[in-house]
Amino acid sequence: MDFQGKRVLITGGARGIGYSIAQRFNQLGAEETIITDIDEAGARKAAEKLSSSGNRAVAYKTDVSDEKQVKELFKRVSEGGKLDILVNNAGIIIDKLLIKLSENDWDRVLDINLKGTFLCMREAGRLMLKARYGRIVNISSMVALGGNPGQGNYCASKAGVIGLTKSAARELGIRGITVNTVAPGFIETEMTASLPSQNKEQYLANMSIKRAGKPEDVAYAVTFFAAEEASYMTGQVLVVDGGYFM
Ligand code: NAP
C-alpha cells in the first residue's frame, strides 16, 4: 500500500485508534495527515510526533458534533488543496441501561458518533465530488451488529453509521468515491480502559482469537479500504473483532 501524494483527514486522531490510523497513513507515505480532535493539545502533540519522524502532519481543533466548526475545518482543508481520504473515527460512550439513559446521554452520543460522521461526510463529499475521487472510511463497532446491554445509545449511533455508509456509497460511487465501514471489537484504548473486568473477561471468552485488539489491528483495516487496491469495494462493513461475531 502506498499513499504518496494523498491528503488524509482523521477525526478524533489525538489518541487511541485514531492516532494509530494517522500513524499508519503517515508511515505509508501520505503527503499530509490532518489530525483533528476536540482535544487541541493532544492533536497538536500527535501531529508533532508524526511530523518529526515522517511526512507532514497538521492538527486542527474540531468538535465534530458542531456544524459550524466542521464547516470551518473543511474550509481550511480545501484552501490547502484536495482531500483524498476521510476517516470518521471520533466517538464516545456514555454507557447506561436503557431505563437509566437520559435524553442528554442519548443526544451527546448520537451527536458525536452519528451526526459528527454525517457532517464530516457531507463536507468531504462536496470536495471529493468535485475532484471525482475519494475514500471515506467510517468507524462503527461490532456492537452495532449484535447489540450490547448498557450501550443502547452507542449501538444505535454505530448502527446508524452503517446505514449512512451504505446510502452514501450508493450516492457517491458514480464519481469514484468509495464509502466503507470498519467495525472494531474490543480494542485496548482509553475508551475501554475503564470497563469493569467482568466485561473484559466476557469479551475475551467469546473471542476466537484470545486477546484484546490493538489500535493497529483497526488501522490496517482502515488503510486497506483507503488503498487503490480496494477501489472495487464500497458500502461494506469489515469487522475486526478477533472472531467475536461470525
Ligand atoms: P478514545 O481513546 O476515547 O479516543 C477518541 C478520541 O476522539 C479522543 O481523542 C477524544 O477526545 C476524541 N473526541 C471525543 N469527542 C470528540 C468530538 N466531539 N469531536 C472530535 N473528537 C472527539 O477512543 P478509541 O477507543 O480510540 O475509539 C475510536 C473510535 O473507535 C470511536 O469511534 C469508538 O467508538 C470506536 N470503537 C472503539 C472500540 C474500542 O474497543 N476501543 C471498539 C469499537 C469501536 P477527548 O479525549 O478530549 O474526549
Side-chain angles (χ1 to χ4, degrees):
M1 274 180 226
D2 181 0
F3 294 100
Q4 277 183 51
K6 302 289 188 211
R7 239 171 134 223
V8 189
L9 189 156
I10 298 117
T11 68
R15 67 169 198 226
I17 293 171
Y19 177 71
S20 188
I21 293 167
Q23 192 176 36
R24 183 152 168 81
F25 276 113
N26 190 265
Q27 283 165 354
L28 292 172
E31 184 176 305
E32 184 177 62
T33 307
I34 303 162
I35 293 178
T36 75
D37 205 288
I38 200 166
D39 171 7
E40 188 173 16
R44 204 174 308 123
K45 220 167 127 195
E48 277 163 15
K49 207 166 150 196
L50 290 188
S51 316
S52 66
S53 58
N55 288 338
R56 183 177 153 80
V58 295
Y60 295 131
K61 179 188 188 315
T62 311
D63 176 348
V64 294
S65 67
D66 181 331
E67 184 179 34
K68 197 163 159 262
Q69 289 187 37
V70 172
K71 282 190 164 177
E72 273 163 23
L73 166 70
F74 281 89
K75 189 168 172 284
R76 289 178 76 181
V77 167
S78 68
E79 283 162 4
K82 67 196 169 87
L83 177 69
D84 302 291
I85 301 161
L86 166 69
V87 183
N88 283 302
N89 165 80
I92 63 160
I93 47 172
I94 304 176
D95 292 352
K96 285 176 195 169
L97 292 173
L98 183 65
I99 54 168
K100 302 231 164 130
L101 207 55
S102 72
E103 187 179 6
N104 189 51
D105 300 332
W106 174 269
D107 287 345
R108 195 72 195 123
V109 169
L110 271 286
D111 276 356
I112 294 172
N113 298 5
L114 182 55
K115 190 178 89 177
T117 299
F118 151 65
L119 291 173
C120 292
M121 280 173 75
R122 186 183 65 188
E123 298 309 310
R126 287 172 179 162
L127 300 180
M128 289 172 176
L129 279 169
K130 277 191 209 147
R132 292 179 175 264
Y133 180 87
R135 295 274 183 274
I136 299 174
V137 186
N138 297 323
I139 305 298
S140 177
S141 169
M142 71 171 179
V143 296
L145 305 171
N148 205 23
Q151 289 201 307
N153 52 353
Y154 183 74
C155 293
S157 72
K158 294 295 189 180
V161 166
I162 294 174
L164 180 60
T165 298
K166 290 177 189 251
S167 296
R170 290 190 186 278
E171 288 181 23
L172 302 174
I174 196 158
R175 294 280 181 96
I177 301 161
T178 67
V179 191
N180 290 290
T181 294
V182 173
F186 175 63
I187 311 294
E188 274 175 341
T189 65
E190 281 188 40
M191 181 181 272
T192 49
S194 58
L195 283 180
S197 58
Q198 68 261 34
N199 288 34
K200 295 182 187 173
E201 281 156 22
Q202 182 258 325
Y203 282 132
L204 285 171
N206 288 295
M207 279 174 202
S208 177
I209 296 165
K210 299 286 176 200
R211 67 165 174 86
K214 301 189 207 103
E216 305 88 90
D217 295 315
V218 181
Y220 293 139
V222 170
T223 47
F224 165 70
F225 272 140
E228 282 310 308
E229 290 84 344
S231 65
Y232 200 54
M233 295 187 72
T234 195
Q236 300 306 303
V237 182
L238 185 53
V239 182
V240 182
D241 69 352
Y244 188 97
F245 280 115
M246 291 190 212

